[in-house]
Amino acid sequence: DVEYMYDLSIVVYSDYEVEGIEIKGTNSPERLAALYKAIQKTFAMWAGGLNNYLQKVQADLKLDIDATYLTFNYTNTLQDVYHIPDNLVLHIHGKAKRGDNLIVGHGSKGDDFPVKQLEIVGFQKKPLRIGREIAILRKPVESIINANQLFFESLSNVEYITVYGFSFSSIDMPYIKEIFTHVKYNVKWH
């Protein structure tokens, strides 16, 4: 809505600093990259903080400690709560406890977003072109899959795949398709 866009414009056009990342100037690609880095760093701090609560979490699933795990979760839940060895867990979007640059974002392409005319009180009516701005927040799924080919190739002898807490949203479907290309046709899904 217009009020939200006005609030966003205050943030986008103000100079500020987030945890050592200085964000200045106009809406340039460099500024957008700095904004993304600030979002990424703030999210990593939040996700890393969640690891502090894992000692209070009760394991409510019976998980095989010898199985291989693909997780979209940034925390050490599998390792700290279920005692799964770290070498059997692939944190596909990074691991907060390890200090990785966590991969956050969406799956839409910049041209998926419409160009709209907005009139905000006190501002001239002009096209709002958010495609480029939104594109910088796109998750590089294809690159992530390519970087983890050894993991996907290791799935060739898997007999069972059990899915917990996965939304099957469109952003994550390329991962599922990649799994399908490497497992046997008769693998059992639960």
Side-chain angles (χ1 to χ4, degrees):
D1 67 15
V2 172
E3 185 177 329
Y4 172 75
M5 293 305 296
Y6 178 71
D7 290 344
L8 181 64
S9 70
I10 291 170
V11 172
V12 171
Y13 293 102
S14 300
D15 292 345
Y16 57 97
E17 186 174 312
V18 175
E19 291 291 315
I21 301 168
E22 191 173 337
I23 302 168
K24 295 180 107 179
T26 60
N27 212 7
S28 66
E30 295 79 23
R31 179 180 172 79
L32 294 173
L35 281 169
Y36 176 75
K37 194 170 191 156
I39 291 167
Q40 190 180 36
K41 188 166 190 173
T42 304
F43 181 77
M45 289 171 28
W46 172 79
L50 294 176
N51 282 311
N52 298 329
Y53 297 99
L54 291 179
Q55 67 232 17
K56 299 174 187 173
V57 175
Q58 295 277 329
D60 60 350
L61 300 170
K62 186 172 177 146
L63 299 181
D64 183 349
I65 64 167
D66 296 317
T68 300
Y69 293 85
L70 168 64
T71 182
F72 293 80
N73 190 328
Y74 304 96
T75 68
N76 273 28
T77 303
L78 289 170
Q79 295 91 329
D80 294 349
V81 176
Y82 294 97
H83 309 290
I84 307 298
D86 203 43
N87 66 318
L88 296 177
V89 180
L90 172 61
H91 288 264
I92 194 83
H93 294 143
K95 182 174 159 184
K97 191 172 187 176
R98 191 171 50 212
D100 293 350
N101 284 327
L102 303 183
I103 300 168
V104 295
H106 60 81
S108 300
K109 295 179 178 139
D111 55 1
D112 293 343
F113 295 93
V115 174
K116 294 193 174 190
Q117 297 279 5
L118 275 189
E119 187 169 358
I120 300 173
V121 177
F123 291 91
Q124 203 172 28
K125 187 174 185 177
K126 63 179 187 174
L128 175 67
R129 302 186 190 283
I130 61 172
R132 182 184 60 150
E133 288 80 357
I134 297 299
I136 197 166
L137 297 174
R138 186 169 187 265
K139 209 179 273 184
V141 175
E142 297 83 11
S143 299
I144 296 167
I145 289 172
N146 290 337
N148 290 286
Q149 268 308 302
L150 287 176
F151 171 82
F152 290 108
E153 290 168 6
S154 76
L155 303 176
S156 62
N157 291 319
V158 168
E159 296 176 14
Y160 300 94
I161 296 177
T162 305
V163 179
Y164 295 103
F166 184 71
S167 68
F168 288 94
S169 67
S170 61
I171 180 76
D172 297 320
M173 290 316 291
Y175 300 107
I176 300 301
K177 289 177 184 175
E178 189 66 21
I179 290 169
F180 268 107
T181 65
H182 295 282
V183 297
K184 297 177 198 167
Y185 73 94
N186 61 348
V187 69
K188 293 179 178 49
W189 288 76
H190 301 276

